[in-house]
């Protein structure tokens, strides 16, 4: 399936210029033409007021406002210009506790470093072709984590808490790095 991404507005937030250049090159290869770049979460919050982003791709580790705090600001701040914008968290920190923390902050998709063009494309298509309903409650603001089997990309299956007993994604200490497949299962849990 080929999707025309030419009209998708992407806000790319990463303090590493090389990583921004790599992601930007991948996005351009898929036809994305309108990409705005920011090097911090604070800069991104200001840019969102001026730029109608359809998707935010944000690194986790940045100063002074990291990616997780950026997600929380976008989702819950009264000053947020678009609390519903899909957010892809881009990070090398794939420990179970971090993935769950990002998911619970309202991340739409999670992209583990090192990235591949295929993984970037899959996350974009997931957001466009299978958008999640958005929830806004007292305790949570973000995309609904529940997906049915038919909503998942080909080859992936849903995992609920009952299934977690049968799989060993972590030894329980929260410090083991997870594969992209394990991360996807947690985001969808």
């Amino acid at each position: 399936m080929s999707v025309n991404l030419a009209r998708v507005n992407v806000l790319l937030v990463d303090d590493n210029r090389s990583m921004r250049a790599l992601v930007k090159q991948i996005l351009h290869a898929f036809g994305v033409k309108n990409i705005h770049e920011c090097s911090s979460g604070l800069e991104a919050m200001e840019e969102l007021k001026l730029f109608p982003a359809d998707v935010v791709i944000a690194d986790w580790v940045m100063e002074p406002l990291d990616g997780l705090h950026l997600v929380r600001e976008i989702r819950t701040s009264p000053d947020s210009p678009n609390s519903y914008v899909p957010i892809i968290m881009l990070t090398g920190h794939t420990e179970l506790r971090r993935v769950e923390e990002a998911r619970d902050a309202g991340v739409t998709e999670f992209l583990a470093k090192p990235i591949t063009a295929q993984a970037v494309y899959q996350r974009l298509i997931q957001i466009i072709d299978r958008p999640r309903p958005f929830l806004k409650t007292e305790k949570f603001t973000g995309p609904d984590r529940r997906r049915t089997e038919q909503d998942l990309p080909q080859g992936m299956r849903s995992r609920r808490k009952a299934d977690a007993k049968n799989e060993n994604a972590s030894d329980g200490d929260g410090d083991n790095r997870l594969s992209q497949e394990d991360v996807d299962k947690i985001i969808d849990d």
Side-chain angles (χ1 to χ4, degrees):
M1 170 189 1
S2 179
V3 176
N4 184 349
L5 300 174
R7 295 179 58 191
V8 175
N9 293 332
V10 176
L11 180 61
L12 179 56
V13 189
D14 196 317
D15 60 350
N16 183 311
R17 185 182 320 210
S18 298
M19 183 55 71
R20 284 195 319 266
L22 173 63
V23 175
K24 189 174 182 179
Q25 184 177 13
I26 290 170
L27 293 170
H28 280 304
F30 294 135
V32 178
K33 297 180 190 280
N34 202 6
I35 304 166
H36 285 212
E37 299 178 52
C38 296
S39 60
S40 75
L42 287 176
E43 188 180 330
M45 283 301 290
E46 292 304 311
E47 187 66 21
L48 277 172
K49 293 175 184 175
L50 306 171
F51 178 63
D54 298 309
V55 177
V56 174
I57 300 175
D59 185 37
W60 187 311
V61 180
M62 296 181 288
E63 293 291 335
L65 184 69
D66 68 23
L68 188 65
H69 287 96
L70 173 62
V71 171
R72 289 183 180 133
E73 283 292 309
I74 290 171
R75 295 291 186 234
T76 63
S77 173
D79 296 332
S80 177
N82 183 0
S83 60
Y84 300 98
V85 66
I87 303 170
I88 300 173
M89 179 65 74
L90 173 66
T91 185
H93 297 282
T94 59
E95 299 86 7
L96 177 61
R97 67 177 172 74
R98 285 185 176 254
V99 175
E100 290 175 338
E101 189 175 14
R103 175 199 65 195
D104 295 344
V107 164
T108 311
E109 296 291 336
F110 200 95
L111 188 57
K113 291 179 185 177
I115 64 169
T116 64
Q118 179 182 6
V120 173
Y121 186 75
Q122 285 176 334
R123 297 310 168 288
L124 287 173
I125 296 308
Q126 186 72 27
I127 288 168
I128 293 166
D129 279 353
R130 296 175 203 94
R132 299 178 186 201
F134 203 85
L135 304 174
K136 200 162 195 159
T137 68
E138 284 183 30
K139 295 184 179 184
F140 178 75
T141 300
D144 189 346
R145 299 185 319 238
R146 296 168 292 190
R147 291 188 188 171
T148 63
E149 294 292 332
Q150 65 193 21
D151 292 334
L152 295 172
Q154 185 175 358
M156 287 181 65
R157 66 176 191 77
S158 178
R159 186 183 86 161
R160 299 289 176 241
K161 291 187 188 300
D163 297 331
K165 295 176 191 171
N166 300 325
E167 297 181 26
N168 294 322
S170 171
D171 64 6
D173 68 3
D175 292 327
N176 291 338
R177 291 177 48 100
L178 303 173
S179 69
Q180 182 66 56
E181 183 178 342
D182 290 333
V183 167
D184 291 339
K185 290 174 184 176
I186 293 165
I187 291 293
D188 292 335
D189 193 16

Short mmCIF file of all heavy atoms in Angstrom, two decimals, residues 32-89:
data_model
loop_
_atom_site.label_atom_id
_atom_site.label_comp_id
_atom_site.label_asym_id
_atom_site.label_seq_id
_atom_site.Cartn_x
_atom_site.Cartn_y
_atom_site.Cartn_z
N VAL A 32 7.24 13.35 2.34
CA VAL A 32 6.86 14.42 3.26
C VAL A 32 7.63 15.67 2.87
O VAL A 32 8.85 15.64 2.75
CB VAL A 32 7.16 14.04 4.73
CG1 VAL A 32 6.80 15.19 5.67
CG2 VAL A 32 6.42 12.77 5.12
N LYS A 33 6.91 16.75 2.63
CA LYS A 33 7.54 17.98 2.17
C LYS A 33 7.66 19.05 3.25
O LYS A 33 8.59 19.84 3.24
CB LYS A 33 6.75 18.55 0.98
CG LYS A 33 6.74 17.63 -0.23
CD LYS A 33 5.94 18.26 -1.35
CE LYS A 33 5.68 17.30 -2.46
NZ LYS A 33 6.69 17.07 -3.39
N ASN A 34 6.71 19.09 4.16
CA ASN A 34 6.67 20.17 5.14
C ASN A 34 7.10 19.67 6.52
O ASN A 34 6.30 19.11 7.26
CB ASN A 34 5.26 20.78 5.19
CG ASN A 34 5.27 22.17 5.74
OD1 ASN A 34 6.31 22.76 5.99
ND2 ASN A 34 4.09 22.71 5.95
N ILE A 35 8.37 19.88 6.82
CA ILE A 35 8.95 19.43 8.08
C ILE A 35 9.57 20.63 8.77
O ILE A 35 10.42 21.32 8.21
CB ILE A 35 10.05 18.37 7.85
CG1 ILE A 35 9.50 17.19 7.04
CG2 ILE A 35 10.65 17.91 9.18
CD1 ILE A 35 10.57 16.27 6.48
N HIS A 36 9.11 20.90 9.99
CA HIS A 36 9.73 21.94 10.79
C HIS A 36 10.56 21.26 11.87
O HIS A 36 10.14 20.25 12.43
CB HIS A 36 8.68 22.85 11.43
CG HIS A 36 8.06 23.81 10.47
ND1 HIS A 36 7.63 25.04 10.84
CD2 HIS A 36 7.82 23.72 9.14
CE1 HIS A 36 7.13 25.68 9.79
NE2 HIS A 36 7.23 24.89 8.75
N GLU A 37 11.72 21.82 12.16
CA GLU A 37 12.64 21.23 13.13
C GLU A 37 12.79 22.11 14.36
O GLU A 37 12.82 23.34 14.25
CB GLU A 37 14.02 21.06 12.50
CG GLU A 37 14.06 20.15 11.30
CD GLU A 37 15.45 20.07 10.71
OE1 GLU A 37 16.41 19.79 11.46
OE2 GLU A 37 15.58 20.31 9.49
N CYS A 38 12.90 21.46 15.51
CA CYS A 38 13.18 22.14 16.77
C CYS A 38 14.23 21.33 17.52
O CYS A 38 14.28 20.10 17.41
CB CYS A 38 11.93 22.23 17.64
SG CYS A 38 10.62 23.23 16.92
N SER A 39 15.03 22.02 18.31
CA SER A 39 16.09 21.32 19.05
C SER A 39 15.77 21.15 20.53
O SER A 39 16.60 20.65 21.27
CB SER A 39 17.43 22.06 18.88
OG SER A 39 17.31 23.38 19.37
N SER A 40 14.58 21.57 20.95
CA SER A 40 14.20 21.38 22.35
C SER A 40 12.68 21.33 22.47
O SER A 40 11.96 21.80 21.59
CB SER A 40 14.74 22.51 23.23
OG SER A 40 13.98 23.69 23.05
N GLY A 41 12.23 20.80 23.58
CA GLY A 41 10.80 20.75 23.85
C GLY A 41 10.20 22.14 24.00
O GLY A 41 9.07 22.38 23.57
N LEU A 42 10.93 23.05 24.62
CA LEU A 42 10.43 24.42 24.78
C LEU A 42 10.23 25.08 23.42
O LEU A 42 9.20 25.73 23.17
CB LEU A 42 11.40 25.25 25.63
CG LEU A 42 11.43 24.94 27.12
CD1 LEU A 42 12.51 25.77 27.82
CD2 LEU A 42 10.07 25.21 27.74
N GLU A 43 11.20 24.91 22.56
CA GLU A 43 11.11 25.46 21.20
C GLU A 43 9.91 24.83 20.47
O GLU A 43 9.18 25.52 19.74
CB GLU A 43 12.41 25.17 20.46
CG GLU A 43 12.56 25.83 19.13
CD GLU A 43 13.88 25.48 18.45
OE1 GLU A 43 14.89 25.24 19.15
OE2 GLU A 43 13.88 25.43 17.20
N ALA A 44 9.71 23.54 20.68
CA ALA A 44 8.60 22.83 20.01
C ALA A 44 7.24 23.36 20.45
O ALA A 44 6.33 23.51 19.63
CB ALA A 44 8.70 21.34 20.29
N MET A 45 7.09 23.66 21.74
CA MET A 45 5.81 24.20 22.22
C MET A 45 5.50 25.53 21.54
O MET A 45 4.35 25.80 21.18
CB MET A 45 5.81 24.36 23.74
CG MET A 45 5.63 23.05 24.49
SD MET A 45 4.10 22.18 24.11
CE MET A 45 2.87 23.25 24.86
N GLU A 46 6.50 26.36 21.36
CA GLU A 46 6.32 27.64 20.67
C GLU A 46 6.02 27.42 19.19
O GLU A 46 5.16 28.08 18.62
CB GLU A 46 7.54 28.54 20.86
CG GLU A 46 7.72 29.03 22.28
CD GLU A 46 6.49 29.77 22.80
OE1 GLU A 46 5.97 30.66 22.10
OE2 GLU A 46 6.05 29.45 23.92
N GLU A 47 6.73 26.48 18.57
CA GLU A 47 6.54 26.20 17.14
C GLU A 47 5.14 25.66 16.87
O GLU A 47 4.54 25.96 15.84
CB GLU A 47 7.60 25.21 16.65
CG GLU A 47 7.60 24.98 15.16
CD GLU A 47 7.99 26.22 14.34
OE1 GLU A 47 8.63 27.14 14.89
OE2 GLU A 47 7.65 26.25 13.14
N LEU A 48 4.61 24.86 17.78
CA LEU A 48 3.26 24.31 17.61
C LEU A 48 2.19 25.40 17.56
O LEU A 48 1.13 25.20 16.97
CB LEU A 48 2.93 23.33 18.73
CG LEU A 48 3.46 21.91 18.56
CD1 LEU A 48 3.24 21.09 19.82
CD2 LEU A 48 2.81 21.24 17.36
N LYS A 49 2.48 26.54 18.15
CA LYS A 49 1.53 27.66 18.11
C LYS A 49 1.47 28.29 16.72
O LYS A 49 0.48 28.90 16.35
CB LYS A 49 1.90 28.71 19.15
CG LYS A 49 1.75 28.22 20.58
CD LYS A 49 2.24 29.23 21.58
CE LYS A 49 2.15 28.66 22.99
NZ LYS A 49 2.74 29.56 23.99
N LEU A 50 2.54 28.10 15.93
CA LEU A 50 2.64 28.70 14.62
C LEU A 50 2.49 27.70 13.47
O LEU A 50 2.10 28.08 12.37
CB LEU A 50 4.01 29.38 14.46
CG LEU A 50 4.39 30.39 15.55
CD1 LEU A 50 5.84 30.81 15.40
CD2 LEU A 50 3.47 31.59 15.48
N PHE A 51 2.80 26.46 13.73
CA PHE A 51 2.86 25.43 12.71
C PHE A 51 1.79 24.37 12.97
O PHE A 51 1.80 23.74 14.02
CB PHE A 51 4.25 24.79 12.71
CG PHE A 51 4.45 23.67 11.73
CD1 PHE A 51 4.36 23.89 10.36
CD2 PHE A 51 4.75 22.40 12.17
CE1 PHE A 51 4.57 22.86 9.46
CE2 PHE A 51 4.95 21.36 11.27
CZ PHE A 51 4.87 21.59 9.91
N PRO A 52 0.89 24.15 12.03
CA PRO A 52 -0.19 23.17 12.23
C PRO A 52 0.31 21.73 11.99
O PRO A 52 0.03 21.11 10.96
CB PRO A 52 -1.23 23.58 11.19
CG PRO A 52 -0.42 24.16 10.08
CD PRO A 52 0.75 24.85 10.75
N ALA A 53 1.05 21.20 12.93
CA ALA A 53 1.63 19.86 12.79
C ALA A 53 0.53 18.80 12.77
O ALA A 53 -0.40 18.83 13.56
CB ALA A 53 2.60 19.58 13.94
N ASP A 54 0.68 17.86 11.85
CA ASP A 54 -0.19 16.69 11.81
C ASP A 54 0.40 15.56 12.65
O ASP A 54 -0.33 14.68 13.11
CB ASP A 54 -0.35 16.19 10.36
CG ASP A 54 -1.01 17.22 9.47
OD1 ASP A 54 -2.09 17.73 9.86
OD2 ASP A 54 -0.46 17.51 8.38
N VAL A 55 1.72 15.59 12.81
CA VAL A 55 2.45 14.59 13.58
C VAL A 55 3.64 15.27 14.24
O VAL A 55 4.31 16.10 13.61
CB VAL A 55 2.98 13.44 12.68
CG1 VAL A 55 3.80 12.44 13.47
CG2 VAL A 55 1.86 12.74 11.94
N VAL A 56 3.91 14.89 15.49
CA VAL A 56 5.12 15.34 16.18
C VAL A 56 5.99 14.11 16.38
O VAL A 56 5.52 13.09 16.89
CB VAL A 56 4.80 15.99 17.54
CG1 VAL A 56 6.09 16.31 18.31
CG2 VAL A 56 3.95 17.24 17.36
N ILE A 57 7.25 14.21 15.97
CA ILE A 57 8.24 13.16 16.25
C ILE A 57 9.24 13.79 17.20
O ILE A 57 9.91 14.75 16.84
CB ILE A 57 8.93 12.66 14.97
CG1 ILE A 57 7.91 12.10 13.99
CG2 ILE A 57 10.00 11.62 15.32
CD1 ILE A 57 8.50 11.69 12.64
N ALA A 58 9.30 13.26 18.43
CA ALA A 58 10.14 13.90 19.46
C ALA A 58 11.07 12.90 20.12
O ALA A 58 10.66 11.80 20.49
CB ALA A 58 9.25 14.55 20.51
N ASP A 59 12.32 13.30 20.27
CA ASP A 59 13.29 12.53 21.04
C ASP A 59 12.93 12.63 22.51
O ASP A 59 12.30 13.60 22.95
CB ASP A 59 14.69 13.09 20.79
CG ASP A 59 15.77 12.26 21.45
OD1 ASP A 59 15.64 11.02 21.48
OD2 ASP A 59 16.76 12.85 21.94
N TRP A 60 13.34 11.65 23.28
CA TRP A 60 13.06 11.67 24.72
C TRP A 60 14.05 12.57 25.45
O TRP A 60 13.68 13.44 26.23
CB TRP A 60 13.16 10.26 25.28
CG TRP A 60 12.73 10.14 26.72
CD1 TRP A 60 13.12 10.92 27.77
CD2 TRP A 60 11.80 9.21 27.24
NE1 TRP A 60 12.51 10.50 28.92
CE2 TRP A 60 11.69 9.45 28.62
CE3 TRP A 60 11.07 8.17 26.69
CZ2 TRP A 60 10.88 8.70 29.46
CZ3 TRP A 60 10.27 7.42 27.53
CH2 TRP A 60 10.18 7.69 28.90
N VAL A 61 15.35 12.38 25.21
CA VAL A 61 16.38 13.05 26.00
C VAL A 61 16.77 14.37 25.35
O VAL A 61 17.44 14.40 24.32
CB VAL A 61 17.63 12.14 26.15
CG1 VAL A 61 18.70 12.85 26.97
CG2 VAL A 61 17.26 10.82 26.79
N MET A 62 16.30 15.45 25.96
CA MET A 62 16.62 16.81 25.50
C MET A 62 16.64 17.71 26.73
O MET A 62 16.06 17.39 27.75
CB MET A 62 15.55 17.34 24.52
CG MET A 62 15.44 16.58 23.24
SD MET A 62 14.19 17.30 22.13
CE MET A 62 12.67 16.86 22.98
N GLU A 63 17.27 18.84 26.58
CA GLU A 63 17.28 19.86 27.64
C GLU A 63 16.75 21.16 27.06
O GLU A 63 16.94 21.41 25.87
CB GLU A 63 18.71 20.07 28.15
CG GLU A 63 19.30 18.89 28.89
CD GLU A 63 18.64 18.62 30.23
OE1 GLU A 63 18.08 19.56 30.82
OE2 GLU A 63 18.66 17.46 30.67
N PRO A 64 16.12 22.00 27.78
CA PRO A 64 15.71 21.89 29.17
C PRO A 64 14.39 21.14 29.34
O PRO A 64 14.06 20.72 30.44
CB PRO A 64 15.55 23.35 29.60
CG PRO A 64 15.15 24.07 28.36
CD PRO A 64 15.83 23.33 27.23
N LEU A 65 13.60 20.97 28.28
CA LEU A 65 12.33 20.25 28.37
C LEU A 65 12.47 18.98 27.54
O LEU A 65 12.58 19.04 26.33
CB LEU A 65 11.19 21.12 27.83
CG LEU A 65 9.78 20.57 27.93
CD1 LEU A 65 9.32 20.51 29.39
CD2 LEU A 65 8.80 21.42 27.12
N ASP A 66 12.48 17.83 28.22
CA ASP A 66 12.67 16.58 27.49
C ASP A 66 11.39 16.14 26.78
O ASP A 66 10.33 16.75 26.93
CB ASP A 66 13.21 15.48 28.41
CG ASP A 66 12.22 15.01 29.47
OD1 ASP A 66 11.00 15.15 29.29
OD2 ASP A 66 12.69 14.47 30.49
N GLY A 67 11.51 15.09 25.99
CA GLY A 67 10.39 14.61 25.19
C GLY A 67 9.19 14.19 25.99
O GLY A 67 8.05 14.42 25.59
N LEU A 68 9.41 13.55 27.14
CA LEU A 68 8.30 13.10 27.96
C LEU A 68 7.52 14.30 28.51
O LEU A 68 6.29 14.32 28.48
CB LEU A 68 8.79 12.22 29.11
CG LEU A 68 7.69 11.56 29.92
CD1 LEU A 68 6.92 10.56 29.07
CD2 LEU A 68 8.27 10.87 31.14
N HIS A 69 8.24 15.30 28.97
CA HIS A 69 7.57 16.52 29.45
C HIS A 69 6.89 17.26 28.31
O HIS A 69 5.83 17.86 28.49
CB HIS A 69 8.56 17.41 30.20
CG HIS A 69 8.92 16.86 31.54
ND1 HIS A 69 10.05 16.10 31.74
CD2 HIS A 69 8.28 16.90 32.72
CE1 HIS A 69 10.11 15.72 33.00
NE2 HIS A 69 9.04 16.19 33.62
N LEU A 70 7.49 17.21 27.13
CA LEU A 70 6.86 17.81 25.96
C LEU A 70 5.51 17.14 25.69
O LEU A 70 4.51 17.81 25.45
CB LEU A 70 7.76 17.70 24.74
CG LEU A 70 7.15 18.13 23.40
CD1 LEU A 70 6.76 19.61 23.42
CD2 LEU A 70 8.12 17.84 22.26
N VAL A 71 5.49 15.81 25.74
CA VAL A 71 4.24 15.08 25.53
C VAL A 71 3.19 15.51 26.55
O VAL A 71 2.05 15.82 26.20
CB VAL A 71 4.46 13.55 25.61
CG1 VAL A 71 3.13 12.80 25.60
CG2 VAL A 71 5.35 13.07 24.48
N ARG A 72 3.59 15.58 27.81
CA ARG A 72 2.65 16.00 28.86
C ARG A 72 2.15 17.42 28.64
O ARG A 72 0.97 17.71 28.86
CB ARG A 72 3.31 15.86 30.23
CG ARG A 72 3.48 14.41 30.65
CD ARG A 72 4.08 14.31 32.03
NE ARG A 72 4.23 12.92 32.41
CZ ARG A 72 5.32 12.42 32.96
NH1 ARG A 72 6.36 13.20 33.21
NH2 ARG A 72 5.38 11.14 33.27
N GLU A 73 3.04 18.31 28.22
CA GLU A 73 2.64 19.69 27.94
C GLU A 73 1.65 19.76 26.77
O GLU A 73 0.65 20.47 26.84
CB GLU A 73 3.86 20.56 27.63
CG GLU A 73 4.66 20.96 28.85
CD GLU A 73 3.89 21.91 29.75
OE1 GLU A 73 3.37 22.93 29.26
OE2 GLU A 73 3.81 21.61 30.95
N ILE A 74 1.97 19.02 25.71
CA ILE A 74 1.08 19.01 24.55
C ILE A 74 -0.29 18.47 24.94
O ILE A 74 -1.33 19.01 24.55
CB ILE A 74 1.68 18.19 23.39
CG1 ILE A 74 2.89 18.91 22.80
CG2 ILE A 74 0.63 17.90 22.31
CD1 ILE A 74 3.68 18.10 21.79
N ARG A 75 -0.31 17.41 25.72
CA ARG A 75 -1.57 16.75 26.06
C ARG A 75 -2.41 17.50 27.10
O ARG A 75 -3.63 17.49 27.02
CB ARG A 75 -1.31 15.32 26.58
CG ARG A 75 -0.72 14.38 25.56
CD ARG A 75 -1.71 14.05 24.48
NE ARG A 75 -1.17 13.03 23.58
CZ ARG A 75 -1.10 13.18 22.27
NH1 ARG A 75 -1.53 14.28 21.69
NH2 ARG A 75 -0.61 12.22 21.53
N THR A 76 -1.76 18.15 28.07
CA THR A 76 -2.53 18.66 29.21
C THR A 76 -2.44 20.16 29.46
O THR A 76 -3.24 20.69 30.23
CB THR A 76 -2.11 17.93 30.51
OG1 THR A 76 -0.73 18.20 30.77
CG2 THR A 76 -2.32 16.43 30.39
N SER A 77 -1.51 20.85 28.86
CA SER A 77 -1.37 22.28 29.13
C SER A 77 -2.52 23.07 28.53
O SER A 77 -2.90 22.86 27.38
CB SER A 77 -0.05 22.80 28.55
OG SER A 77 0.01 24.21 28.68
N PRO A 78 -3.06 24.02 29.31
CA PRO A 78 -4.10 24.89 28.75
C PRO A 78 -3.58 25.73 27.58
O PRO A 78 -4.35 26.20 26.75
CB PRO A 78 -4.51 25.78 29.92
CG PRO A 78 -3.77 25.31 31.11
CD PRO A 78 -2.76 24.30 30.69
N ASP A 79 -2.25 25.90 27.49
CA ASP A 79 -1.63 26.66 26.41
C ASP A 79 -1.34 25.81 25.17
O ASP A 79 -0.85 26.34 24.17
CB ASP A 79 -0.31 27.29 26.89
CG ASP A 79 -0.53 28.30 27.99
OD1 ASP A 79 -1.62 28.91 28.04
OD2 ASP A 79 0.40 28.48 28.81
N SER A 80 -1.63 24.53 25.24
CA SER A 80 -1.33 23.65 24.11
C SER A 80 -2.22 24.00 22.93
O SER A 80 -3.45 24.02 23.05
CB SER A 80 -1.54 22.19 24.49
OG SER A 80 -1.32 21.36 23.37
N PRO A 81 -1.63 24.25 21.77
CA PRO A 81 -2.43 24.58 20.60
C PRO A 81 -3.15 23.37 20.00
O PRO A 81 -4.12 23.53 19.27
CB PRO A 81 -1.41 25.14 19.61
CG PRO A 81 -0.10 24.64 20.07
CD PRO A 81 -0.20 24.38 21.54
N ASN A 82 -2.69 22.15 20.29
CA ASN A 82 -3.33 20.96 19.73
C ASN A 82 -3.01 19.75 20.62
O ASN A 82 -2.05 19.03 20.36
CB ASN A 82 -2.86 20.71 18.30
CG ASN A 82 -3.56 19.53 17.66
OD1 ASN A 82 -4.40 18.86 18.26
ND2 ASN A 82 -3.21 19.26 16.42
N SER A 83 -3.83 19.52 21.61
CA SER A 83 -3.57 18.40 22.53
C SER A 83 -3.85 17.04 21.88
O SER A 83 -3.50 16.01 22.42
CB SER A 83 -4.40 18.55 23.81
OG SER A 83 -5.77 18.55 23.51
N TYR A 84 -4.46 17.04 20.69
CA TYR A 84 -4.82 15.79 20.01
C TYR A 84 -3.80 15.35 18.95
O TYR A 84 -3.97 14.31 18.34
CB TYR A 84 -6.18 15.95 19.33
CG TYR A 84 -7.28 16.25 20.31
CD1 TYR A 84 -7.72 17.56 20.50
CD2 TYR A 84 -7.88 15.24 21.04
CE1 TYR A 84 -8.73 17.85 21.41
CE2 TYR A 84 -8.89 15.52 21.95
CZ TYR A 84 -9.32 16.82 22.12
OH TYR A 84 -10.31 17.09 23.02
N VAL A 85 -2.77 16.14 18.72
CA VAL A 85 -1.80 15.81 17.67
C VAL A 85 -1.12 14.46 17.99
O VAL A 85 -0.73 14.21 19.13
CB VAL A 85 -0.75 16.93 17.50
CG1 VAL A 85 0.14 17.08 18.73
CG2 VAL A 85 0.09 16.71 16.26
N PRO A 86 -1.01 13.56 17.01
CA PRO A 86 -0.30 12.31 17.23
C PRO A 86 1.18 12.58 17.51
O PRO A 86 1.80 13.43 16.86
CB PRO A 86 -0.47 11.56 15.91
CG PRO A 86 -1.65 12.17 15.26
CD PRO A 86 -1.63 13.61 15.68
N ILE A 87 1.72 11.86 18.49
CA ILE A 87 3.11 12.04 18.89
C ILE A 87 3.84 10.70 18.82
O ILE A 87 3.40 9.72 19.42
CB ILE A 87 3.22 12.60 20.32
CG1 ILE A 87 2.47 13.92 20.43
CG2 ILE A 87 4.69 12.77 20.71
CD1 ILE A 87 2.32 14.43 21.87
N ILE A 88 4.95 10.70 18.09
CA ILE A 88 5.82 9.53 18.02
C ILE A 88 7.04 9.83 18.89
O ILE A 88 7.77 10.78 18.63
CB ILE A 88 6.26 9.24 16.57
CG1 ILE A 88 5.05 8.97 15.68
CG2 ILE A 88 7.24 8.07 16.54
CD1 ILE A 88 5.38 8.85 14.20
N MET A 89 7.25 9.01 19.93
CA MET A 89 8.43 9.16 20.79
C MET A 89 9.58 8.41 20.15
O MET A 89 9.48 7.22 19.87
CB MET A 89 8.14 8.60 22.18
CG MET A 89 9.31 8.71 23.14
SD MET A 89 9.80 10.41 23.55
CE MET A 89 8.47 10.87 24.64
#
